[in-house]
Amino acid sequence: MAGGWTRDGAVQDQIDDSVADAVLAARASMPSGDSEPFCAICGDDIPEGRRLAVPGVRTCVTCQSGRDRPLATTFNRRGSKDSQLR
């Protein structure tokens, strides 16, 4: 599929570059260095397997999963007319 003055495959190249940039940004935000033996939030032991798997880890699995959970929103994302008329 050609798009204007671009060559064939240019759109896929742009998608690939966007994905590569997102992967690099995610890797840059990952912790590095020595892992902590105790969780920085709750103080529980961090299992050795987690410390070896994620270098530079600072939190236990329970605390990290709580931090990774998205905040609940009160917006209606269904978009039905009934819910918008209330």
Side-chain angles (χ1 to χ4, degrees):
M1 175 179 95
W5 297 98
T6 62
R7 64 175 180 73
D8 287 344
V11 173
Q12 186 61 46
D13 290 343
Q14 190 174 22
I15 292 169
D16 292 342
D17 289 341
S18 296
V19 170
D21 289 344
V23 168
L24 289 175
R27 285 184 179 161
S29 68
M30 289 180 68
S32 61
D34 293 333
S35 297
E36 296 292 328
F38 303 102
C39 178
I41 296 174
C42 68
D44 287 346
D45 290 339
I46 298 175
E48 183 178 356
R50 177 168 169 75
R51 287 184 281 151
L52 294 174
V54 184
V57 70
R58 306 260 185 266
T59 56
C60 65
V61 174
T62 305
C63 292
Q64 187 64 43
S65 61
R67 294 173 70 188
D68 291 344
R69 186 173 304 125
L71 298 174
T73 62
T74 57
F75 295 107
N76 176 15
R77 303 215 184 267
R78 287 182 21 207
S80 68
K81 287 185 179 180
D82 291 339
S83 64
Q84 292 174 3
L85 295 175
R86 290 182 192 162

